[in-house]
Amino acid sequence: MEKVNKENFRIYLNDVYQSKITFYEEFTEFVSFFEIDCFSEACKYKLSIEVSDDNIKFGAVTKEPSIDFSLYDFIFETNKQAEEFVEQINKLGWPKQFE
């Protein structure tokens, strides 16, 4: 199985979301974090993504600052899988119902 290419996925997210990326940090050389406000304005959540050499994790976190110890909801091991998931989010929204 192919390895995650963090730089290619960062470029992909920048191309897809541009100004909707509200937070980006290269935490270490092995892990990067993104927060993306890509849902409707009425939605209380934003997309959270952790990208490492091993996988790409997706979760939804509240827009309001909070401490959130929840695990990621979806984990992918290739760029292609994660990019297909991003396309699904853009077409259909987050797979879970928000309160």
Side-chain angles (χ1 to χ4, degrees):
M1 185 174 275
E2 66 184 82
K3 189 176 176 180
V4 169
N5 185 313
K6 294 188 308 290
E7 180 62 15
N8 283 353
F9 195 67
R10 183 192 65 75
I11 292 168
Y12 171 78
L13 289 176
N14 281 327
D15 289 345
V16 171
Y17 290 118
Q18 299 170 10
S19 64
K20 293 181 180 183
I21 297 173
T22 59
F23 178 80
Y24 169 73
E25 180 178 356
E26 290 186 28
F27 186 68
T28 68
E29 65 181 280
F30 307 107
V31 180
S32 299
F33 296 100
F34 293 84
E35 288 184 2
I36 303 170
D37 192 359
C38 61
F39 304 123
S40 72
E41 285 188 33
C43 184
K44 298 177 185 176
Y45 296 88
K46 58 186 168 185
L47 183 61
S48 177
I49 303 172
E50 176 187 309
V51 183
S52 72
D53 289 334
D54 298 323
N55 53 43
I56 302 171
K57 300 174 183 179
F58 290 81
V61 297
T62 61
K63 288 182 181 178
E64 295 298 319
S66 65
I67 298 174
D68 188 352
F69 295 105
S70 64
L71 299 176
Y72 287 93
D73 299 307
F74 299 92
I75 301 173
F76 302 100
E77 295 181 347
T78 68
N79 286 49
K80 184 174 179 3
Q81 292 171 323
E83 289 170 6
E84 289 172 352
F85 187 69
V86 167
E87 291 173 14
Q88 177 185 333
I89 290 171
N90 289 338
K91 288 179 187 172
L92 305 173
W94 186 250
K96 294 170 67 175
Q97 293 293 326
F98 292 117
E99 295 178 11

